Amino acid sequence: MLLRTAFLSLRNLLRGWLARLRGQRRGGADWSQTRAPLVDDDRVMLSHTHSWLRRIPNGMHPKQLCRHYPRIANRIATAWHDVPAVDRLLMDLMVDRRGNRMGFPPRIRQEIDRLYGLHAKRMTPLLRGRPQSVSPISRPAMEPLRRVRLRTPMSVSSIKR
């Protein structure tokens, strides 16, 4: 009886040790314990996110991202003026550095890719390091930018699909 109890405890100890070893091989640390807890502002889009959406061209609106992941949309909108911070944020969303993430659904992944394309267009002069040297004769005349004032407040549900 004593031998059987010792054998069962040894078997349970080995099972626990093997389970921990497998967990370390798969992903290392348990990221669900290190994630910041959700607060009320993470469950809804904030006002600065709505104004950020108004400034994005119509075909680039991340509707599904805003609807299903408002926390991420708020983070992107907050960092949109800081070009290197947005670059890091969007790359972290697109590239799995942990090794065990499930990833986003395809539509949301496409929206993040489109946002990164829009961001890359903003970032290109920084990557080049110097302004383009185009002669003023060959440059086409550009219209001045116009601001469009909306009469009604915009929400994610009012953006056309």
Side-chain angles (χ1 to χ4, degrees):
M1 186 75 164
L2 185 60
L3 186 60
R4 183 170 186 219
T5 308
F7 178 71
L8 289 175
S9 64
L10 180 63
R11 187 175 73 176
N12 289 337
L13 182 68
L14 284 175
R15 278 186 186 170
W17 182 72
L18 285 174
R20 274 183 287 186
L21 186 63
R22 286 185 194 132
Q24 286 176 355
R25 269 194 233 141
R26 282 193 196 126
D30 183 15
W31 288 98
S32 63
Q33 301 299 322
T34 60
R35 180 177 291 147
L38 287 176
V39 294
D40 290 338
D41 286 347
D42 292 337
R43 292 182 177 92
V44 294
M45 282 181 25
L46 302 176
S47 60
H48 71 274
T49 308
H50 286 283
S51 63
W52 168 70
L53 280 173
R54 286 187 206 108
R55 290 189 302 255
I56 292 179
N58 278 336
M60 302 285 197
H61 287 142
K63 298 171 203 131
Q64 297 298 319
L65 177 75
C66 293
R67 185 172 293 134
H68 297 289
Y69 299 97
R71 178 181 187 168
I72 294 174
N74 290 336
R75 286 179 58 199
I76 294 172
T78 302
W80 193 253
H81 295 293
D82 186 7
V83 175
V86 173
D87 191 49
R88 282 191 307 272
L89 178 62
L90 292 175
M91 286 305 291
D92 284 343
L93 291 174
M94 291 189 302
V95 177
D96 179 16
R97 296 177 200 266
R98 297 179 190 171
N100 59 353
R101 280 186 170 173
M102 296 291 293
F104 290 107
R107 276 187 79 169
I108 294 176
R109 210 171 330 135
Q110 289 171 353
E111 289 179 352
I112 293 173
D113 286 341
R114 273 186 284 168
L115 277 177
Y116 190 77
L118 178 67
H119 168 69
K121 285 181 184 176
R122 294 185 322 151
M123 198 173 71
T124 340
L126 295 176
L127 291 177
R128 279 184 249 155
R130 61 187 195 288
Q132 289 180 339
S133 57
V134 178
S135 64
I137 299 169
S138 66
R139 180 177 288 180
M142 294 180 61
E143 292 182 6
L145 294 176
R146 292 181 280 160
R147 285 187 83 128
V148 177
R149 186 166 291 209
L150 298 174
R151 295 174 193 231
T152 59
M154 178 187 280
S155 67
V156 174
S157 60
S158 66
I159 300 172
K160 293 181 181 178
R161 289 188 182 180

